[in-house]
């Protein structure tokens, strides 16, 4: 999404997450001590400038279980290997 938001005409982005801590860190409400996480926050803030509207919504973990399972499955999928197998 972030790479092609201008090309795709995306103006408003709403992000959902089940970690209130992370959401508040990105919002600037909680301090971040880890340097890597500080870099992530900085990058997010840089990307937010490309949108007319950007919001982070905290949702209960229970409402995010399906997405978490889908993400876990996606992490195990090797796109490059899949393409190689399909070509063979």
């Amino acid at each position: 999404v972030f790479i092609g938001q201008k090309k795709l005409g995306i103006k408003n982005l709403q992000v959902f997450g089940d970690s209130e801590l992370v959401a508040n860190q990105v919002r600037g409400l909680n301090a971040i001590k880890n340097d890597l996480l500080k870099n992530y926050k900085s990058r997010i803030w840089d990307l937010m400038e490309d949108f007319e509207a950007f919001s982070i919504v905290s949702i209960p973990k229970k409402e995010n279980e399906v997405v978490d399972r889908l993400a876990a499955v996606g992490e195990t999928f090797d796109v490059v290997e899949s393409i190689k197998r399909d070509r063979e």
Side-chain angles (χ1 to χ4, degrees):
V1 170
F2 290 119
I3 294 170
Q5 78 269 17
K6 288 181 184 175
K7 188 175 185 179
L8 296 173
I10 299 170
K11 297 177 182 175
N12 304 313
L13 182 65
Q14 190 171 34
V15 177
F16 296 88
D18 59 21
S19 172
E20 187 73 26
L21 174 63
V22 172
N24 283 338
Q25 287 174 330
V26 172
R27 291 179 187 125
L29 301 175
N30 288 21
I32 301 174
K33 297 178 182 176
N34 180 291
D35 287 337
L36 180 60
L37 295 180
K38 287 179 184 178
N39 289 334
Y40 283 139
K41 178 190 171 195
S42 177
R43 181 67 177 128
I44 290 169
W45 279 64
D46 288 345
L47 291 168
M48 288 184 341
E49 293 177 5
D50 292 335
F51 297 97
E52 290 177 13
F54 182 97
S55 64
I56 300 173
V57 178
S58 299
I59 60 172
K61 193 172 278 294
K62 189 134 188 98
E63 292 180 24
N64 208 29
E65 289 176 348
V66 173
V67 176
D68 284 344
R69 284 195 297 265
L70 183 60
V73 169
E75 288 174 359
T76 64
F77 186 71
D78 188 334
V79 175
V80 174
E81 285 301 315
S82 178
I83 291 170
K84 285 180 182 177
R85 280 194 305 271
D86 287 349
R87 288 183 177 171
E88 293 173 351

